[in-house]
Amino acid sequence: MADINKTIKELEHKKDVDSNLAFYGNYMMSLSNRLAYIKAAMNAGTLFEMNMDIGEDCPELNAMLEGIWQCLSQDVLGEFSGQQFEQAVEHADTLRKSMISDVKKLTAYADRLQIYEYVLNRMEYRFKEDAQQEVNTELFSRRLLTHVLGDSDRQLVNLQIQEMVGQLPLRMTKARFYNYLQDALSLYNGADSDSLDDFLYMLESKCMLSVPEGFGEGFEALNGILDQLEKASYKELDQQTFVRLQGILNRGVSTVTDLISIYMLAAEVINQLYAIILSTPYAMTDVEERDLCRNILSGIVKERTEGVYKSLPDEITELYYELEGRQENLMERYDHAEYMLDEIRSSFQDLLSGLMLDKIYESLYRIQKLLSTSLFVEFSEDGNESFHAGHVDSDRLEECFVRLTRQFDSLFSSLEKPVMRAVMAYALSSFPVFFQSADEIEQYIRDSLDGCRDSAERAACMEILNQMMNEA
């Protein structure tokens, strides 16, 4: 630890840069390799057992899992050579891209199901006897205001305001909605382009403005469920149709939740196998520890190959005890040194090629993403993982606003009013907080509740908001 501390300190002061860049690169490769091996050994066992428990007969999921076990057995546990290394990197990259494509589709299904859940939740009280009861909106507004503003953490307050806006009855003209959209975009003036891109991606995905490539292909059960929800009429819904649609929605939510759960773990395993492959040519590793991890991984592959789906045998699970505490120790060391990669990227990138360290650092930049908590972060198409973020100007914001309004106009023209309101509500809940004072928040609450002439919808919204307050 003393050597790496010295190296980092000297790099920060631009001292002995050539030798320190070489030392730091080798240190991080070795550390990354050890950490990725241990994480893969731990998570692959969990994935094996989750694969046994999952009830979904999903060809896309099965193909992705088969790709993981093949990558593990051939590219990680197989013999290493220069030619096989290039093939292994290609296999891992292709597998990861396919996994991300599937997750984008599943997220799109989840976003759309959430829209229809919003619609059906607000119709439920049509079929309840107490839906017509009189309510004191003034008293409720003050209680709700006290709740959302009752925390000292400003970030938490903003999140609660956004959640509140997304649940209140929505009675808003498109013009007013577009004013809020323009105000939200204006906050990105001068910000990094990446932050605006993230906001636009989130908004377009959440509000059904865009679909991922290949959406509608595969995941046939979810396609059928979404098709029924999209074709239903929500203007005059009778109780029988409501119950039927609610059952369809519940099946969809259960299916997509199960699939996303296993895809999340699969993404971790894929990222860790990819990191192992990238770091192996450069890593000086603990041979005993590596062999222990490989024995665990080999045992899992064997159980998978035999096709008898049961819990992992004792001879494998007992090996995990020998890994106790190691991941935490390595993670602490990795976190301690990892930040320097960003400094090297910004200060020494031009030097790396001349020192013949460009390949090792491009791999390290990629490994940095693979071992991060952002499981689905995508890589640049040219393989260069350096960051070159520009800044947002007023022209870019105007272009975004015009494009988004056209997208929303096109979408709204195809939706019934209850579904259009649901889309607007989810968009508003995604915007940065647009209120300037507590009085303005209270007035917004009052206007939303008093302006809703559908007593069943108002009762449903107040019940949802009550649950939100009681769970806090």
Side-chain angles (χ1 to χ4, degrees):
M1 183 69 84
D3 287 342
I4 192 61
N5 287 340
K6 177 175 178 291
T7 296
I8 290 174
K9 191 170 184 179
E10 290 184 350
L11 283 172
E12 289 176 337
H13 291 86
K14 296 181 172 52
K15 181 180 178 183
D16 296 332
V17 171
D18 294 7
S19 59
N20 281 320
L21 284 174
F23 179 86
Y24 178 84
N26 289 327
Y27 174 87
M28 288 300 292
M29 275 298 187
S30 300
L31 190 59
S32 300
N33 187 264
R34 292 180 63 191
L35 183 59
Y37 254 119
I38 291 178
K39 282 176 170 281
M42 303 289 285
N43 287 325
T46 306
L47 181 63
F48 173 86
E49 296 188 335
M50 183 181 283
N51 186 196
M52 294 189 307
D53 296 335
I54 198 77
E56 290 299 324
D57 182 17
C58 176
E60 292 74 24
L61 172 63
N62 294 334
M64 188 268 299
L65 291 171
E66 189 59 40
I68 290 176
W69 305 123
Q70 186 175 9
C71 176
L72 175 55
S73 60
Q74 295 182 6
D75 300 326
V76 172
L77 298 175
E79 293 295 323
F80 176 79
S81 70
Q83 181 179 359
Q84 287 172 329
F85 169 73
E86 297 295 334
Q87 292 175 346
V89 171
E90 184 178 346
H91 291 164
D93 197 58
T94 300
L95 177 61
R96 189 171 186 271
K97 286 178 179 177
S98 177
M99 177 271 297
I100 290 174
S101 175
D102 283 353
V103 170
K104 286 181 177 179
K105 294 176 188 177
L106 289 172
T107 302
Y109 284 117
D111 289 334
R112 283 155 176 75
L113 291 174
Q114 201 167 31
I115 293 291
Y116 289 102
E117 183 177 38
Y118 178 102
V119 174
L120 291 175
N121 280 347
R122 278 144 187 79
M123 295 183 171
E124 182 177 4
Y125 272 64
R126 291 182 184 179
F127 314 109
K128 289 189 175 184
E129 294 180 0
D130 58 354
Q132 309 300 321
Q133 291 181 356
E134 291 296 321
V135 293
N136 187 328
T137 56
E138 182 177 358
L139 185 63
F140 184 84
S141 299
R142 289 177 180 173
R143 178 170 169 248
L144 183 56
L145 180 67
T146 300
H147 167 75
V148 297
L149 299 181
D151 198 285
S152 59
D153 186 336
R154 184 63 186 171
Q155 187 174 7
L156 180 58
V157 168
N158 286 341
L159 288 173
Q160 290 180 155
I161 292 173
Q162 289 173 312
E163 185 177 5
M164 175 200 73
V165 168
Q167 297 301 339
L168 282 166
L170 190 75
R171 297 296 183 270
M172 183 180 294
T173 64
K174 283 199 297 183
R176 188 180 177 197
F177 172 73
Y178 290 147
N179 284 338
Y180 284 134
L181 172 62
Q182 193 163 35
D183 289 344
L185 288 171
S186 70
L187 297 175
Y188 290 91
N189 197 4
D192 288 343
S193 293
D194 286 347
S195 63
L196 176 61
D197 291 340
D198 289 343
F199 173 73
L200 295 173
Y201 176 80
M202 178 273 299
L203 185 65
E204 290 178 333
S205 301
K206 195 172 184 179
C207 296
M208 306 195 299
L209 296 178
S210 64
V211 294
E213 184 178 353
F215 186 70
E217 301 171 5
F219 297 109
E220 291 186 4
L222 289 171
N223 278 328
I225 288 169
L226 184 60
D227 184 62
Q228 294 180 76
L229 293 171
E230 288 177 337
K231 289 180 178 178
S233 176
Y234 298 92
K235 287 182 178 179
E236 300 294 337
L237 205 63
D238 60 41
Q239 186 168 7
Q240 183 179 359
T241 306
F242 170 80
V243 171
R244 180 178 65 82
L245 290 175
Q246 197 170 49
I248 292 169
L249 174 69
N250 289 340
R251 287 202 308 275
V253 170
S254 176
T255 299
V256 80
T257 299
D258 286 345
L259 287 172
I260 287 177
S261 177
I262 194 167
Y263 265 92
M264 292 282 286
L265 182 58
E268 289 194 62
V269 175
I270 291 171
N271 288 348
Q272 289 145 13
L273 297 181
Y274 199 163
I276 290 171
I277 292 167
L278 287 175
S279 57
T280 292
Y282 309 99
M284 298 290 290
T285 191
D286 182 323
V287 175
E288 181 183 356
E289 180 182 88
R290 183 199 62 191
D291 289 347
L292 174 60
C293 292
R294 289 173 69 89
N295 287 339
I296 292 172
L297 293 168
S298 297
I300 295 170
V301 169
K302 180 182 177 183
E303 293 297 315
R304 166 78 182 183
T305 303
E306 290 179 354
V308 180
Y309 293 101
K310 57 184 185 302
S311 296
L312 291 173
D314 291 344
E315 56 264 31
I316 295 177
T317 58
E318 287 173 359
L319 295 177
Y320 284 115
Y321 292 112
E322 299 182 45
L323 292 178
E324 285 186 355
R326 299 194 191 200
Q327 179 174 309
E328 293 75 13
N329 176 267
L330 290 171
M331 198 71 227
E332 183 179 352
R333 292 169 58 188
Y334 182 86
D335 289 343
H336 174 76
E338 180 252 351
Y339 80 93
M340 195 60 205
L341 276 174
D342 298 325
E343 295 293 326
I344 291 171
R345 183 188 286 114
S346 62
S347 300
F348 304 117
Q349 189 64 32
D350 294 340
L351 294 177
L352 296 176
S353 179
L355 297 172
M356 300 182 67
L357 293 173
D358 50 333
K359 289 186 179 296
I360 186 172
Y361 273 94
E362 285 302 331
S363 291
L364 277 175
Y365 299 151
R366 184 161 289 198
I367 290 170
Q368 183 184 29
K369 293 182 178 182
L370 291 167
L371 295 183
S372 74
T373 55
S374 301
L375 299 179
F376 309 109
V377 63
E378 297 186 71
F379 302 140
S380 60
E381 288 299 319
D382 60 4
N384 187 339
E385 302 307 327
S386 301
F387 292 83
H388 303 288
H391 290 88
V392 180
D393 58 22
S394 57
D395 290 339
R396 170 88 193 280
L397 291 175
E398 179 63 21
E399 181 272 326
C400 290
F401 177 69
V402 170
R403 176 169 57 84
L404 286 170
T405 53
R406 287 174 179 168
Q407 288 176 296
F408 275 118
D409 279 339
S410 176
L411 177 65
F412 291 158
S413 67
S414 68
L415 300 177
E416 290 186 345
K417 188 168 288 187
V419 184
M420 184 184 79
R421 287 172 177 165
V423 173
M424 280 188 174
Y426 275 102
L428 289 169
S429 70
S430 305
F431 294 171
V433 173
F434 44 78
F435 301 111
Q436 301 299 317
S437 67
D439 288 343
E440 193 175 334
I441 298 173
E442 183 176 9
Q443 190 61 50
Y444 184 92
I445 298 171
R446 291 281 301 278
D447 289 347
S448 296
L449 294 173
D450 293 339
C452 180
R453 302 306 179 192
D454 185 335
S455 59
E457 180 183 354
R458 184 174 58 200
C461 290
M462 292 177 70
E463 177 60 26
I464 292 169
L465 290 165
N466 268 320
Q467 292 175 5
M468 184 182 84
M469 289 186 281
N470 292 335
E471 290 171 0

